[in-house]
Coordinates of all heavy atoms in Angstrom, one line a residue:
M407 N -13.1 -99.2 -21.6 CA -13.5 -98.5 -20.4 C -14.5 -97.4 -20.8 O -15.4 -97.1 -20.0 CB -12.2 -97.8 -19.8 CG -12.4 -97.2 -18.5 SD -12.8 -98.5 -17.3 CE -11.8 -98.0 -16.0
D408 N -14.3 -96.8 -21.9 CA -15.3 -95.7 -22.4 C -16.7 -96.3 -22.6 O -17.7 -95.7 -22.3 CB -14.7 -95.1 -23.7 CG -15.6 -94.0 -24.1 OD1 -16.0 -93.2 -23.3 OD2 -15.8 -93.8 -25.4
I409 N -16.7 -97.5 -23.1 CA -18.0 -98.2 -23.4 C -18.7 -98.5 -22.0 O -19.9 -98.3 -22.0 CB -17.8 -99.5 -24.2 CG1 -17.3 -99.1 -25.5 CG2 -19.1 -100.3 -24.3 CD1 -16.8 -100.4 -26.4
I410 N -18.0 -98.8 -21.0 CA -18.6 -99.1 -19.7 C -19.2 -97.8 -19.1 O -20.3 -97.8 -18.6 CB -17.5 -99.7 -18.7 CG1 -17.1 -101.1 -19.2 CG2 -18.1 -99.8 -17.3 CD1 -15.9 -101.7 -18.5
F411 N -18.4 -96.7 -19.2 CA -19.0 -95.5 -18.7 C -20.2 -95.0 -19.5 O -21.2 -94.5 -18.9 CB -17.9 -94.4 -18.7 CG -16.9 -94.5 -17.6 CD1 -15.6 -94.6 -17.9 CD2 -17.3 -94.6 -16.3 CE1 -14.6 -94.7 -16.9 CE2 -16.4 -94.7 -15.2 CZ -15.0 -94.8 -15.6
E412 N -20.1 -95.2 -20.8 CA -21.3 -94.8 -21.6 C -22.5 -95.6 -21.3 O -23.6 -95.1 -21.2 CB -20.9 -94.9 -23.1 CG -22.0 -94.5 -24.0 CD -21.6 -94.7 -25.5 OE1 -20.4 -94.8 -25.8 OE2 -22.5 -94.6 -26.3
F413 N -22.3 -96.9 -21.1 CA -23.4 -97.8 -20.8 C -24.0 -97.5 -19.4 O -25.2 -97.4 -19.3 CB -22.9 -99.3 -20.8 CG -24.0 -100.3 -20.4 CD1 -25.0 -100.6 -21.2 CD2 -23.9 -100.9 -19.1 CE1 -26.0 -101.5 -20.8 CE2 -24.9 -101.7 -18.7 CZ -25.9 -102.1 -19.6
L414 N -23.2 -97.3 -18.4 CA -23.7 -97.0 -17.1 C -24.4 -95.6 -17.1 O -25.5 -95.5 -16.5 CB -22.5 -96.9 -16.1 CG -21.9 -98.3 -15.7 CD1 -20.8 -98.1 -14.8 CD2 -23.0 -99.2 -15.1
G415 N -23.8 -94.6 -17.8 CA -24.5 -93.3 -17.8 C -25.8 -93.4 -18.5 O -26.8 -92.8 -18.1
E416 N -25.9 -94.1 -19.7 CA -27.1 -94.2 -20.4 C -28.1 -95.1 -19.6 O -29.3 -94.7 -19.6 CB -26.8 -94.9 -21.8 CG -28.1 -94.9 -22.6 CD -27.7 -95.4 -24.0 OE1 -26.6 -95.2 -24.5 OE2 -28.6 -96.0 -24.6
F417 N -27.7 -96.1 -19.0 CA -28.5 -97.0 -18.2 C -29.2 -96.2 -17.0 O -30.4 -96.2 -16.8 CB -27.8 -98.2 -17.7 CG -28.6 -99.1 -16.8 CD1 -29.5 -99.9 -17.4 CD2 -28.3 -99.1 -15.4 CE1 -30.3 -100.8 -16.6 CE2 -29.1 -100.0 -14.6 CZ -30.0 -100.8 -15.2
L418 N -28.3 -95.4 -16.3 CA -28.9 -94.6 -15.2 C -29.8 -93.5 -15.7 O -30.9 -93.3 -15.1 CB -27.7 -94.1 -14.4 CG -26.9 -95.1 -13.6 CD1 -25.7 -94.4 -12.9 CD2 -27.8 -95.7 -12.5
L419 N -29.4 -92.8 -16.7 CA -30.2 -91.7 -17.1 C -31.5 -92.1 -17.8 O -32.6 -91.7 -17.4 CB -29.4 -90.8 -18.1 CG -30.0 -89.4 -18.4 CD1 -30.1 -88.6 -17.2 CD2 -29.2 -88.7 -19.5
E420 N -31.4 -93.0 -18.7 CA -32.7 -93.5 -19.3 C -33.6 -94.3 -18.4 O -34.8 -94.2 -18.4 CB -32.3 -94.4 -20.5 CG -31.7 -93.7 -21.7 CD -32.6 -92.7 -22.3 OE1 -33.8 -93.0 -22.4 OE2 -32.1 -91.6 -22.7
G421 N -32.9 -95.1 -17.5 CA -33.7 -95.8 -16.5 C -34.4 -94.9 -15.6 O -35.6 -95.1 -15.2
T422 N -33.8 -93.8 -15.1 CA -34.4 -92.9 -14.2 C -35.5 -92.1 -14.9 O -36.6 -91.9 -14.3 CB -33.3 -91.8 -13.8 OG1 -32.2 -92.5 -13.2 CG2 -33.9 -90.9 -12.8
I423 N -35.4 -91.8 -16.2 CA -36.4 -91.1 -16.9 C -37.6 -92.0 -17.1 O -38.8 -91.6 -16.9 CB -35.9 -90.6 -18.3 CG1 -34.9 -89.5 -18.1 CG2 -37.0 -90.1 -19.2 CD1 -34.2 -89.0 -19.3
E424 N -37.4 -93.3 -17.4 CA -38.5 -94.2 -17.6 C -39.2 -94.5 -16.3 O -40.5 -94.6 -16.3 CB -38.0 -95.5 -18.3 CG -37.6 -95.3 -19.7 CD -38.8 -94.8 -20.6 OE1 -39.9 -95.3 -20.4 OE2 -38.5 -93.9 -21.4
V425 N -38.5 -94.7 -15.2 CA -39.1 -94.9 -13.9 C -39.9 -93.7 -13.5 O -41.0 -93.9 -12.9 CB -38.0 -95.3 -12.9 CG1 -38.6 -95.3 -11.5 CG2 -37.5 -96.7 -13.2
S426 N -39.4 -92.5 -13.7 CA -40.2 -91.3 -13.3 C -41.5 -91.1 -14.1 O -42.4 -90.5 -13.6 CB -39.3 -90.1 -13.5 OG -39.1 -89.8 -14.8
K427 N -41.6 -91.7 -15.3 CA -42.8 -91.6 -16.0 C -43.9 -92.6 -15.6 O -45.0 -92.4 -15.8 CB -42.5 -91.8 -17.5 CG -41.8 -90.7 -18.2 CD -41.5 -91.1 -19.6 CE -40.7 -90.1 -20.4 NZ -40.4 -90.5 -21.8
S428 N -43.4 -93.7 -15.0 CA -44.3 -94.8 -14.7 C -45.2 -94.5 -13.5 O -44.8 -94.1 -12.4 CB -43.5 -96.1 -14.4 OG -44.3 -97.1 -14.0
K429 N -46.5 -94.7 -13.7 CA -47.5 -94.5 -12.6 C -47.5 -95.6 -11.6 O -48.1 -95.5 -10.5 CB -48.9 -94.3 -13.2 CG -49.1 -93.1 -14.1 CD -49.0 -91.9 -13.2 CE -49.2 -90.6 -14.1 NZ -49.1 -89.4 -13.4
K430 N -46.9 -96.8 -12.0 CA -46.8 -97.9 -11.1 C -45.8 -97.7 -9.9 O -45.9 -98.4 -8.9 CB -46.5 -99.2 -11.9 CG -47.5 -99.5 -12.9 CD -47.1 -100.8 -13.7 CE -48.2 -101.1 -14.7 NZ -47.8 -102.2 -15.5
V431 N -44.9 -96.8 -10.1 CA -43.9 -96.5 -9.1 C -44.5 -95.5 -8.1 O -45.2 -94.6 -8.5 CB -42.6 -96.0 -9.7 CG1 -41.5 -95.7 -8.7 CG2 -42.1 -97.0 -10.7
S432 N -44.1 -95.7 -6.8 CA -44.6 -94.8 -5.8 C -44.2 -93.3 -6.0 O -43.1 -93.1 -6.6 CB -44.1 -95.3 -4.4 OG -44.4 -94.3 -3.4
K433 N -45.0 -92.4 -5.6 CA -44.7 -91.0 -5.7 C -43.5 -90.7 -4.9 O -42.7 -89.8 -5.3 CB -45.9 -90.1 -5.2 CG -47.1 -90.1 -6.1 CD -48.1 -89.2 -5.5 CE -49.4 -89.3 -6.4 NZ -50.4 -88.4 -5.9
W434 N -43.2 -91.4 -3.8 CA -42.0 -91.1 -3.0 C -40.7 -91.5 -3.7 O -39.7 -91.0 -3.3 CB -42.1 -91.9 -1.7 CG -43.2 -91.4 -0.8 CD1 -44.5 -92.0 -0.7 CD2 -43.2 -90.3 0.0 NE1 -45.2 -91.3 0.2 CE2 -44.5 -90.2 0.6 CE3 -42.3 -89.3 0.3 CZ2 -44.8 -89.2 1.5 CZ3 -42.6 -88.3 1.2 CH2 -43.9 -88.3 1.8
I435 N -40.8 -92.3 -4.7 CA -39.7 -92.6 -5.6 C -39.6 -91.7 -6.8 O -38.6 -91.2 -7.2 CB -39.7 -94.1 -5.9 CG1 -39.6 -94.9 -4.7 CG2 -38.6 -94.4 -6.9 CD1 -39.7 -96.4 -4.9
R436 N -40.8 -91.5 -7.4 CA -40.8 -90.8 -8.7 C -40.4 -89.3 -8.5 O -39.6 -88.8 -9.3 CB -42.2 -90.8 -9.3 CG -42.5 -92.1 -10.1 CD -43.8 -92.0 -10.8 NE -44.9 -91.9 -9.9 CZ -46.0 -91.1 -10.1 NH1 -46.1 -90.4 -11.2 NH2 -46.9 -91.1 -9.2
Y437 N -40.9 -88.6 -7.5 CA -40.7 -87.2 -7.4 C -39.2 -86.9 -7.1 O -38.7 -85.9 -7.7 CB -41.6 -86.6 -6.3 CG -43.0 -86.5 -6.7 CD1 -44.0 -86.3 -5.8 CD2 -43.4 -86.7 -8.0 CE1 -45.4 -86.3 -6.2 CE2 -44.8 -86.7 -8.4 CZ -45.7 -86.5 -7.5 OH -47.0 -86.4 -7.8
P438 N -38.5 -87.6 -6.3 CA -37.1 -87.3 -6.1 C -36.3 -87.6 -7.4 O -35.3 -86.9 -7.8 CB -36.6 -88.3 -5.0 CG -37.8 -88.5 -4.2 CD -38.9 -88.5 -5.2
L439 N -36.7 -88.7 -8.2 CA -36.1 -89.0 -9.5 C -36.3 -87.8 -10.5 O -35.4 -87.4 -11.2 CB -36.6 -90.3 -10.0 CG -36.1 -91.5 -9.3 CD1 -36.7 -92.8 -9.9 CD2 -34.6 -91.6 -9.3
I440 N -37.5 -87.3 -10.5 CA -37.8 -86.1 -11.4 C -36.9 -84.9 -11.0 O -36.4 -84.2 -11.8 CB -39.3 -85.8 -11.3 CG1 -40.1 -86.9 -12.0 CG2 -39.6 -84.5 -12.0 CD1 -41.6 -86.8 -11.8
A441 N -36.8 -84.7 -9.7 CA -36.0 -83.6 -9.2 C -34.5 -83.8 -9.6 O -33.8 -82.9 -10.0 CB -36.1 -83.5 -7.7
L442 N -34.0 -85.1 -9.5 CA -32.6 -85.3 -9.9 C -32.4 -85.1 -11.4 O -31.4 -84.5 -11.8 CB -32.3 -86.8 -9.6 CG -31.9 -87.0 -8.1 CD1 -31.7 -88.5 -7.9 CD2 -30.7 -86.3 -7.7
I443 N -33.4 -85.5 -12.2 CA -33.3 -85.3 -13.7 C -33.3 -83.8 -14.0 O -32.5 -83.3 -14.8 CB -34.5 -86.0 -14.4 CG1 -34.4 -87.5 -14.2 CG2 -34.5 -85.6 -15.9 CD1 -35.6 -88.2 -14.7
V444 N -34.2 -83.1 -13.4 CA -34.3 -81.6 -13.6 C -33.0 -80.9 -13.1 O -32.4 -80.1 -13.8 CB -35.5 -81.0 -12.9 CG1 -35.4 -79.5 -12.9 CG2 -36.8 -81.5 -13.6
L445 N -32.5 -81.4 -12.0 CA -31.2 -80.8 -11.5 C -30.0 -81.1 -12.4 O -29.2 -80.2 -12.7 CB -30.9 -81.3 -10.1 CG -29.7 -80.8 -9.4 CD1 -29.8 -79.3 -9.1 CD2 -29.4 -81.6 -8.1
F446 N -29.9 -82.3 -12.9 CA -28.9 -82.6 -13.8 C -28.9 -81.8 -15.1 O -27.9 -81.2 -15.5 CB -28.9 -84.1 -14.2 CG -27.9 -84.5 -15.2 CD1 -26.6 -84.7 -14.9 CD2 -28.3 -84.8 -16.5 CE1 -25.7 -85.0 -15.8 CE2 -27.4 -85.2 -17.5 CZ -26.1 -85.3 -17.1
F447 N -30.0 -81.7 -15.7 CA -30.1 -80.9 -16.9 C -30.0 -79.4 -16.7 O -29.4 -78.7 -17.5 CB -31.4 -81.2 -17.7 CG -31.4 -82.5 -18.4 CD1 -32.2 -83.6 -17.9 CD2 -30.6 -82.8 -19.5 CE1 -32.1 -84.8 -18.6 CE2 -30.5 -84.0 -20.1 CZ -31.3 -85.0 -19.7
T448 N -30.4 -79.0 -15.5 CA -30.2 -77.6 -15.2 C -28.7 -77.2 -15.0 O -28.3 -76.2 -15.5 CB -31.0 -77.2 -13.9 OG1 -32.4 -77.5 -14.1 CG2 -30.8 -75.8 -13.5
L449 N -28.0 -78.1 -14.4 CA -26.6 -78.0 -14.2 C -25.8 -77.9 -15.5 O -24.9 -77.1 -15.7 CB -26.0 -79.0 -13.3 CG -26.3 -78.9 -11.8 CD1 -25.8 -80.1 -11.1 CD2 -25.7 -77.7 -11.2
V450 N -26.3 -78.8 -16.5 CA -25.6 -78.8 -17.8 C -25.9 -77.5 -18.5 O -25.0 -76.9 -19.1 CB -26.1 -80.0 -18.6 CG1 -25.7 -79.9 -20.1 CG2 -25.6 -81.3 -18.0
I451 N -27.1 -77.0 -18.5 CA -27.5 -75.8 -19.2 C -26.8 -74.6 -18.5 O -26.3 -73.7 -19.2 CB -29.0 -75.6 -19.2 CG1 -29.7 -76.7 -20.0 CG2 -29.4 -74.2 -19.6 CD1 -31.2 -76.7 -19.9
V452 N -26.8 -74.5 -17.2 CA -26.1 -73.4 -16.5 C -24.6 -73.5 -16.8 O -24.0 -72.4 -17.0 CB -26.4 -73.4 -15.0 CG1 -25.5 -72.5 -14.2 CG2 -27.8 -73.1 -14.8
G453 N -24.0 -74.7 -16.9 CA -22.6 -74.8 -17.2 C -22.3 -74.3 -18.6 O -21.3 -73.6 -18.8
I454 N -23.1 -74.6 -19.6 CA -22.9 -74.1 -20.9 C -23.1 -72.6 -21.0 O -22.3 -71.9 -21.6 CB -23.8 -74.8 -21.9 CG1 -23.5 -76.3 -22.0 CG2 -23.8 -74.1 -23.3 CD1 -24.5 -77.1 -22.8
F455 N -24.1 -72.1 -20.3 CA -24.3 -70.6 -20.2 C -23.1 -69.9 -19.6 O -22.6 -68.9 -20.1 CB -25.6 -70.3 -19.5 CG -25.9 -68.8 -19.5 CD1 -26.5 -68.3 -20.6 CD2 -25.7 -68.0 -18.4 CE1 -26.9 -67.0 -20.7 CE2 -26.0 -66.7 -18.5 CZ -26.6 -66.1 -19.6
A456 N -22.6 -70.5 -18.5 CA -21.4 -69.9 -17.8 C -20.2 -69.9 -18.7 O -19.4 -69.0 -18.7 CB -21.2 -70.6 -16.5
L457 N -20.0 -71.0 -19.4 CA -18.9 -71.1 -20.3 C -19.0 -70.1 -21.4 O -18.0 -69.5 -21.8 CB -18.9 -72.5 -20.9 CG -17.6 -72.9 -21.7 CD1 -16.4 -72.9 -20.8 CD2 -17.8 -74.3 -22.3
G458 N -20.2 -69.8 -21.8 CA -20.4 -68.7 -22.8 C -20.1 -67.4 -22.3 O -19.4 -66.6 -23.0
I459 N -20.4 -67.1 -21.0 CA -20.1 -65.8 -20.4 C -18.5 -65.7 -20.2 O -18.0 -64.7 -20.5 CB -20.8 -65.7 -19.0 CG1 -22.3 -65.7 -19.2 CG2 -20.3 -64.5 -18.3 CD1 -22.8 -64.5 -20.0
I460 N -17.9 -66.8 -19.8 CA -16.4 -66.8 -19.6 C -15.7 -66.6 -21.0 O -14.7 -65.9 -21.0 CB -16.0 -68.1 -18.9 CG1 -16.5 -68.1 -17.5 CG2 -14.5 -68.2 -19.0 CD1 -16.3 -69.4 -16.8
A461 N -16.2 -67.2 -22.0 CA -15.6 -67.1 -23.3 C -15.8 -65.8 -24.0 O -15.2 -65.5 -25.0 CB -16.1 -68.3 -24.2
L462 N -16.7 -65.0 -23.4 CA -17.0 -63.7 -24.0 C -15.7 -62.8 -24.2 O -15.6 -62.1 -25.1 CB -18.0 -62.9 -23.1 CG -18.7 -61.7 -23.6 CD1 -19.5 -62.1 -24.9 CD2 -19.7 -61.2 -22.6
K463 N -14.8 -62.9 -23.3 CA -13.6 -62.1 -23.3 C -12.6 -62.6 -24.4 O -11.9 -61.8 -25.0 CB -12.8 -62.2 -22.0 CG -13.6 -61.5 -20.9 CD -12.8 -61.7 -19.6 CE -13.7 -61.1 -18.4 NZ -13.0 -61.4 -17.1
E464 N -12.7 -63.9 -24.7 CA -11.7 -64.5 -25.7 C -12.3 -64.5 -27.1 O -11.6 -64.1 -28.0 CB -11.3 -65.9 -25.3 CG -10.6 -66.0 -23.9 CD -9.3 -65.3 -24.0 OE1 -8.6 -65.4 -25.0 OE2 -8.9 -64.7 -23.0
N465 N -13.5 -65.0 -27.3 CA -14.0 -65.2 -28.6 C -15.5 -64.9 -28.6 O -16.3 -65.6 -28.0 CB -13.8 -66.7 -29.0 CG -14.1 -66.9 -30.4 OD1 -14.7 -66.1 -31.1 ND2 -13.7 -68.1 -30.9
L466 N -15.9 -63.8 -29.2 CA -17.2 -63.3 -29.2 C -18.2 -64.3 -29.9 O -19.3 -64.6 -29.4 CB -17.3 -61.9 -29.8 CG -18.7 -61.3 -29.8 CD1 -19.1 -61.0 -28.4 CD2 -18.7 -60.0 -30.6
L467 N -17.8 -64.8 -31.1 CA -18.7 -65.7 -31.8 C -18.9 -67.0 -31.0 O -20.1 -67.4 -31.0 CB -18.0 -66.0 -33.2 CG -18.8 -67.0 -34.1 CD1 -20.1 -66.3 -34.4 CD2 -18.0 -67.4 -35.3
L468 N -17.9 -67.6 -30.4 CA -18.1 -68.8 -29.7 C -19.0 -68.5 -28.5 O -19.9 -69.4 -28.2 CB -16.8 -69.3 -29.2 CG -16.8 -70.6 -28.3 CD1 -17.4 -71.8 -29.0 CD2 -15.5 -70.9 -27.7
S469 N -18.8 -67.4 -27.8 CA -19.7 -67.1 -26.6 C -21.1 -66.9 -27.0 O -22.0 -67.4 -26.3 CB -19.1 -65.9 -25.9 OG -19.2 -64.8 -26.7
V470 N -21.4 -66.3 -28.1 CA -22.7 -66.1 -28.6 C -23.4 -67.4 -28.9 O -24.5 -67.7 -28.6 CB -22.8 -65.1 -29.7 CG1 -24.2 -65.1 -30.4 CG2 -22.4 -63.7 -29.3
I471 N -22.6 -68.3 -29.6 CA -23.1 -69.6 -29.9 C -23.5 -70.4 -28.7 O -24.5 -71.0 -28.6 CB -22.1 -70.3 -30.8 CG1 -22.1 -69.7 -32.2 CG2 -22.5 -71.8 -31.0 CD1 -21.0 -70.2 -33.1
L472 N -22.6 -70.4 -27.7 CA -22.8 -71.1 -26.4 C -24.0 -70.6 -25.7 O -24.8 -71.3 -25.1 CB -21.6 -71.1 -25.6 CG -20.4 -71.9 -26.0 CD1 -19.2 -71.7 -25.2 CD2 -20.8 -73.4 -26.1
I473 N -24.1 -69.3 -25.6 CA -25.3 -68.7 -24.9 C -26.6 -69.0 -25.6 O -27.6 -69.4 -25.0 CB -25.1 -67.1 -24.7 CG1 -23.9 -66.9 -23.8 CG2 -26.4 -66.5 -24.3 CD1 -23.5 -65.4 -23.7
L474 N -26.6 -68.9 -26.9 CA -27.8 -69.3 -27.7 C -28.1 -70.7 -27.6 O -29.3 -71.1 -27.4 CB -27.6 -68.9 -29.2 CG -27.7 -67.4 -29.5 CD1 -27.4 -67.2 -31.0 CD2 -29.0 -66.8 -29.1
L475 N -27.1 -71.6 -27.5 CA -27.3 -73.0 -27.3 C -27.9 -73.3 -26.0 O -28.8 -74.1 -25.9 CB -26.0 -73.8 -27.5 CG -26.0 -75.3 -27.2 CD1 -26.8 -76.0 -28.3 CD2 -24.6 -75.8 -27.2
S476 N -27.4 -72.6 -25.0 CA -28.0 -72.8 -23.6 C -29.4 -72.3 -23.5 O -30.3 -73.0 -22.9 CB -27.1 -72.2 -22.6 OG -27.1 -70.8 -22.7
L477 N -29.7 -71.2 -24.2 CA -31.1 -70.7 -24.2 C -32.0 -71.7 -24.9 O -33.2 -71.9 -24.5 CB -31.1 -69.3 -24.7 CG -30.5 -68.2 -23.9 CD1 -30.5 -66.9 -24.6 CD2 -31.1 -68.1 -22.5
F478 N -31.5 -72.2 -26.1 CA -32.3 -73.2 -26.8 C -32.6 -74.4 -26.0 O -33.7 -74.9 -26.0 CB -31.6 -73.5 -28.1 CG -32.3 -74.6 -28.9 CD1 -33.4 -74.4 -29.6 CD2 -31.7 -75.9 -28.9 CE1 -34.1 -75.5 -30.3 CE2 -32.3 -76.9 -29.6 CZ -33.5 -76.7 -30.3
M479 N -31.5 -74.9 -25.3 CA -31.7 -76.1 -24.5 C -32.7 -75.8 -23.3 O -33.4 -76.7 -22.9 CB -30.3 -76.5 -23.9 CG -29.5 -77.2 -25.0 SD -27.8 -77.6 -24.4 CE -28.2 -78.8 -23.2
L480 N -32.6 -74.6 -22.8 CA -33.5 -74.3 -21.7 C -35.0 -74.3 -22.1 O -35.9 -74.9 -21.5 CB -33.2 -72.9 -21.1 CG -34.1 -72.4 -20.0 CD1 -33.9 -73.2 -18.8 CD2 -33.7 -70.9 -19.7
V481 N -35.3 -73.7 -23.3 CA -36.6 -73.7 -23.8 C -37.1 -75.1 -24.2 O -38.2 -75.5 -23.8 CB -36.7 -72.7 -25.0 CG1 -38.1 -72.8 -25.7 CG2 -36.5 -71.3 -24.6
A482 N -36.2 -75.8 -24.8 CA -36.6 -77.2 -25.2 C -36.8 -78.1 -24.0 O -37.7 -78.9 -24.0 CB -35.5 -77.8 -26.1
G483 N -36.0 -77.9 -23.0 CA -36.1 -78.7 -21.7 C -37.4 -78.3 -21.0 O -38.1 -79.2 -20.5
I484 N -37.8 -77.1 -21.0 CA -39.1 -76.7 -20.4 C -40.3 -77.3 -21.1 O -41.2 -77.8 -20.5 CB -39.2 -75.2 -20.3 CG1 -38.2 -74.6 -19.2 CG2 -40.6 -74.7 -19.9 CD1 -38.1 -73.1 -19.2
L485 N -40.2 -77.2 -22.5 CA -41.3 -77.8 -23.2 C -41.4 -79.3 -23.1 O -42.5 -79.8 -23.0 CB -41.1 -77.4 -24.7 CG -41.3 -75.9 -25.1 CD1 -41.0 -75.7 -26.5 CD2 -42.7 -75.4 -24.7
K486 N -40.3 -80.0 -23.1 CA -40.2 -81.4 -22.9 C -40.8 -81.8 -21.5 O -41.6 -82.7 -21.4 CB -38.8 -82.0 -23.1 CG -38.7 -83.4 -22.9 CD -39.4 -84.2 -24.0 CE -39.1 -85.7 -23.9 NZ -39.8 -86.4 -24.9
F487 N -40.3 -81.1 -20.5 CA -40.8 -81.4 -19.1 C -42.3 -81.2 -19.0 O -43.0 -82.0 -18.4 CB -40.1 -80.4 -18.1 CG -40.5 -80.6 -16.7 CD1 -40.0 -81.7 -15.9 CD2 -41.5 -79.8 -16.1 CE1 -40.4 -81.8 -14.6 CE2 -41.9 -79.9 -14.8 CZ -41.4 -81.0 -14.1
R488 N -42.8 -80.1 -19.6 CA -44.2 -79.8 -19.6 C -45.0 -80.9 -20.3 O -46.1 -81.3 -19.8 CB -44.4 -78.4 -20.2 CG -45.8 -77.9 -20.0 CD -45.8 -76.5 -20.4 NE -47.2 -76.1 -20.4 CZ -47.8 -75.3 -21.3 NH1 -47.0 -74.7 -22.1 NH2 -49.1 -75.1 -21.3
K489 N -44.5 -81.3 -21.5 CA -45.2 -82.4 -22.2 C -45.2 -83.7 -21.5 O -46.2 -84.4 -21.5 CB -44.5 -82.5 -23.6 CG -45.1 -83.6 -24.5 CD -44.4 -83.7 -25.8 CE -44.9 -84.9 -26.6 NZ -44.1 -85.1 -27.8
T490 N -44.0 -84.0 -20.9 CA -43.9 -85.3 -20.3 C -44.6 -85.5 -19.0 O -45.3 -86.4 -18.7 CB -42.4 -85.6 -20.0 OG1 -41.7 -85.6 -21.3 CG2 -42.2 -87.0 -19.4
Y491 N -44.5 -84.5 -18.1 CA -45.1 -84.6 -16.8 C -46.4 -83.8 -16.5 O -47.3 -84.3 -16.0 CB -44.0 -84.2 -15.7 CG -42.8 -85.1 -15.8 CD1 -41.6 -84.6 -16.2 CD2 -42.9 -86.4 -15.4 CE1 -40.5 -85.4 -16.3 CE2 -41.8 -87.2 -15.5 CZ -40.6 -86.7 -15.9 OH -39.5 -87.5 -16.0
I492 N -46.4 -82.6 -16.9 CA -47.6 -81.7 -16.6 C -48.8 -82.0 -17.4 O -49.9 -82.2 -16.9 CB -47.1 -80.2 -16.6 CG1 -46.1 -80.0 -15.5 CG2 -48.3 -79.3 -16.4 CD1 -45.5 -78.6 -15.6
D493 N -48.6 -82.1 -18.8 CA -49.7 -82.4 -19.6 C -50.3 -83.7 -19.4 O -51.5 -83.9 -19.5 CB -49.3 -82.2 -21.1 CG -49.0 -80.8 -21.5 OD1 -49.4 -79.9 -20.7 OD2 -48.5 -80.5 -22.5
K494 N -49.5 -84.7 -19.1 CA -50.0 -86.1 -18.8 C -50.8 -86.1 -17.5 O -51.8 -86.8 -17.4 CB -48.9 -87.1 -18.8 CG -48.4 -87.4 -20.1 CD -47.5 -88.6 -20.1 CE -47.0 -88.8 -21.5 NZ -46.3 -90.1 -21.7
K495 N -50.4 -85.3 -16.6 CA -51.1 -85.2 -15.3 C -52.5 -84.6 -15.6 O -53.5 -85.0 -15.0 CB -50.3 -84.3 -14.3 CG -50.9 -84.2 -13.0 CD -50.0 -83.4 -12.1 CE -50.5 -83.3 -10.7 NZ -49.6 -82.5 -9.8
V496 N -52.6 -83.6 -16.4 CA -53.9 -82.9 -16.8 C -54.8 -83.9 -17.5 O -56.0 -84.0 -17.3 CB -53.6 -81.7 -17.6 CG1 -54.9 -81.1 -18.1 CG2 -52.9 -80.6 -16.7
E497 N -54.2 -84.7 -18.4 CA -55.0 -85.7 -19.2 C -55.5 -86.8 -18.3 O -56.7 -87.2 -18.4 CB -54.1 -86.4 -20.2 CG -53.7 -85.5 -21.4 CD -52.7 -86.1 -22.4 OE1 -52.5 -87.3 -22.2 OE2 -52.3 -85.5 -23.3
C498 N -54.8 -87.2 -17.2 CA -55.3 -88.2 -16.3 C -56.4 -87.7 -15.5 O -57.4 -88.4 -15.2 CB -54.1 -88.6 -15.4 SG -52.9 -89.6 -16.2
K499 N -56.4 -86.4 -15.1 CA -57.5 -85.8 -14.4 C -58.8 -85.7 -15.2 O -59.9 -85.8 -14.8 CB -57.1 -84.4 -13.8 CG -56.2 -84.5 -12.7 CD -55.9 -83.2 -12.1 CE -54.9 -83.3 -10.9 NZ -54.6 -82.0 -10.4
K500 N -58.6 -85.4 -16.6 CA -59.7 -85.3 -17.5 C -60.4 -86.6 -17.6 O -61.6 -86.7 -17.8 CB -59.3 -84.7 -18.8 CG -59.0 -83.3 -18.8 CD -58.6 -82.8 -20.2 CE -58.3 -81.3 -20.2 NZ -57.9 -80.8 -21.5
E501 N -59.7 -87.7 -17.7 CA -60.2 -89.1 -17.9 C -61.1 -89.5 -16.7 O -62.0 -90.2 -16.8 CB -59.1 -90.1 -18.1 CG -58.4 -89.9 -19.4 CD -57.3 -90.8 -19.6 OE1 -57.0 -91.7 -18.7 OE2 -56.6 -90.8 -20.7
K502 N -60.7 -89.0 -15.5 CA -61.5 -89.4 -14.3 C -62.7 -88.6 -14.2 O -63.7 -88.7 -14.2 CB -60.6 -89.2 -13.0 CG -59.5 -90.1 -12.9 CD -58.7 -89.9 -11.7 CE -57.5 -90.8 -11.6 NZ -56.7 -90.6 -10.4

């Protein structure tokens, strides 16, 4: 059962990411998929950050690690988004 959930999750996430990168797919499909991907990763990052804030009362070291992890994921996510979608858009305009 675990393998089925892992396969479906990976299939949906990876498939959505690959479809959102493809210029052959209509903008009406790509842009909502990009929004879903950004929303999903934002929820994960905010969840880890909130868990770090909640853990602040119980364990200071764990909370600091979780907050730093969420900030690292936020910065890495912004850089990856910029590299994947925004920089390629600029490159396509330069070629034309």
